[in-house]
Amino acid sequence: MKKYQHLFSPYRIKNVTYRNRIFATPTGLTYPDEYTGEPGFKTVLFYEKKARGGAASVTLGETAINNIDCVRRPNVDRIRPDFSKMFLPKKGWVKVTDAIKRHGAAPSIQLSHAGMFSEPFFINGNTPIGPVDMVKENGTVVRGMNQDDMKRIANDFAEAAWSAKDSGFQQVMLHCGHGWLIGQFLSPHWNTRTDEYGGPIENRAKFPLMVIDAVREKVGENFIIEIRISGDEHQKDGWPIEDVIKFAHMVEGKVDLIHISAGDYHNSDQYCFSTVFMPHNCNVHIAEALKKGGVKTPLVTVGSINDPKEMERLIAEGITDFVAIGRGILADSDLPKKIHLGKEDDIRPCIRCCNCMGGLYEGYYQCDINPLAGQEAYLLKTPDVEETKRVLVVGGGPGGMQAALTAATRGHKVTLVDKNNKLGGTLQFTDVDAHKGDLREYKNYLIHQVEKHGVDIRLSTQADITLLEELQPQSIIVASGAQPRILNTKGAEKAYHATESYYTPEIVGNKIVMIGGGLIGCEVALHLAELGKNVTVLEMQDQLAGEANIIHKASLFEQIEKNKDLIRGITKAQVEEITDTGVTYVDQSGDKLFIEADTVLYAIGMVPNDDIVEELRAWDGWETFRPIGDCTGASIVRKAIHDGYHAAMDII
C-alpha cells in the first residue's frame, strides 16, 4: 500500500481524471516570443517542468481578459498576448497546453480583470472601472460599472474561456478573489452600491454569477470551471464566512471546483502569499467551514501546505478534495513526484521569502533557492561534463553548499571546507529565530544533500595555500561570505552585533536600542520583542526594512504592530554616542535626544570577506577560480544560491 494513498488517488470531474490531488497554482509567468508576442519557448519549458514533476493540474496565472480596462501591472499582464483574440488552436497557446498534457497533467489558465485597481497608464488612457464611483488615494478616478459594462465584461470572460478551451486548456480558473474585479463585487469593503448589485450577498453575487453563467454557456457543460475566492479577505468589512458559504452554495452546479485562498492584493497581500510570520495550512479552516456548511462542490485549498503527512490527512478526512501548491512547486517542480516516491527528504523546501511573487511588483521574478525556475532553457545550453574535476569549495554557507551539491551531482570529486565546526554559515541563526523555520528546513536540506551526495566535508578547517597544495584542486569556488560592518560611532565598543542576541542571549537585557532598521535589525527586534524585551529601532533612512519585498514587509510590519507596546521605530535618526546607560541620537528636526538602554545592538550592513579570495587566487595550480555570494558583495540568499549553482555548472 502506498504511503500517501489518499493524496495520490485519482479524482474524475467530467471528462478529466486528475492523477492525484496536488494542483500547481498560478504563479506566473508567460514569456512572449519577441517576434510574434505569443508564448515563447521559455513559457513551454516553465510549465512543462511543473507537469513533468507530477502535479495533477498546472495553471497559468493572472491572464487579462481584455486590453481595454483589465490590466493592472504592465510587467505582468502585458507580457501576455491578447488572449481574448486567440481564437485558433494553431496560435501560440497550444504548444503550452500540449507540453502540459503530454506529461499527464491538466492544463488550466486563470482569467482575471483588475477592475478598480487598474490604472489609465496600463489601459491606453482609459478610465478604470469598478463596483462604485470613487477616487483612489493616488488621484485616479474610477467609474462605477453599469449593466452594459457588466454584460461586456461577462462576455469578455466568456470569450477568453472559449479561446482557452479552443487552445487546448482543459479548465479555466475565474479569479474571484484577491481584490480582483469579481472579488471587488463580492466584498462589502469595496462594493458599497445601493442598487440591486450591492448590499446583501445575494445582490453582491449577481455580477459574479453573471460572469460564471456567461462562461458556462460559452464553453459548455463538459468543460471544467474553477473559481478562486478569498475565503477571508483579512481587511476591515471584508465578507464574513457566512457569506462565503452562501456564495459557495449559489455556484453549486455552475462551477466544478472552488479554490480557497485568502487576502486582498491592495490591503492584505501578505495573506495572498503567506509569509514566514504565518502558520502553514493557513486557509484550511476555511475549507473546513465550507464542508461543515454543506458545500458539495469539490474544494481546492492553498496556503503553505507543505507537509505530505498533512496533505494526506486533509484528503483522507475530507477537509479538502485537492491541495494547491504554488511557491513550493516553484522551489521544486518535482515535489509531487518526490512525495509519491517516498523521497520527501529530497524536496527542496520553499523558504516563503516571497521574493518571487513580491518581485512581480518590481519586474524581477525569480525563486531565491531554485536558480532554474523560469530559466529552464539554461539547461539546454549547458555542456555535459567532459572530465571529472577535483573541486574545492571554500565556505559551508548556503552558496557553498549549493555549489558543492551541484558539482557533486555533475560527477565531480568535491571537497567542502569551512573554518567553523558545523555547516550553515549565516543561516545558523535559523535554529533560534522562531519565524525562520522554513529557512531552517532549507539549511538542513542542503546539509543533508551534500552529505548524501558524497561531498568530502572538512569542518574546523582553514582554507590556505597549504590546503591547496594538499588537495591540488582543479577548480576552486570561494564562498567565504561576509562579516558585520563595524559600527563607527563613539562608544561603539559597548555595542554588539544584532545576531549576537541569537548566539549569546545572556548579553541581552530588557531595554534595547537597535542601531539600524534594515531587514536584519527589524527582524531581530521582532524576535526580541516576542521574548518580552523592549526595543527601540533607530534608522538613519526614511523607512524601516527598506530592502524587503512588498509582501514580506507588509507581514513584518503587521507583526511589529502586534508588538507595538514593545517595539518602537524611529527613522531619520543619526546616532552620535553610545554610553553605559543608553544612546544619544539626532532626530530629523536636528534635536539631540537620549534613549535609555541596558543593551545596544547594531545591524548596519555586511562587509565581504574578500581577503581570503585574493589569497587563494594567488595559488597558481587552479584551472578555474570563482568567488561567489556575499564575498563578492553582501546580498540575500538568492545571490549565494544562484552564484553557487552556476559556478558549479561551469565546471566542465
Side-chain angles (χ1 to χ4, degrees), residues 29-31 38-49 51 58-60 81 83 89 91-103 105-109 167-169:
L29 292 167
T30 300
Y31 302 90
E38 295 177 355
F41 190 41
K42 288 179 65 178
T43 304
V44 175
L45 295 177
F46 181 62
Y47 290 101
E48 183 172 26
K49 190 82 163 58
V58 175
T59 304
L60 283 70
F83 192 80
K91 290 292 186 177
W93 291 96
V94 76
K95 62 176 176 277
V96 181
T97 57
D98 276 358
I100 294 170
K101 284 190 285 191
R102 65 173 162 252
H103 297 290
S108 176
I109 189 164
S167 296
F169 287 97

Side-chain angles (χ1 to χ4, degrees), residues 192-205:
T192 57
R193 296 175 73 116
T194 57
D195 64 1
E196 62 180 301
Y197 297 98
I201 183 60
E202 292 77 9
N203 287 0
R204 302 197 314 273

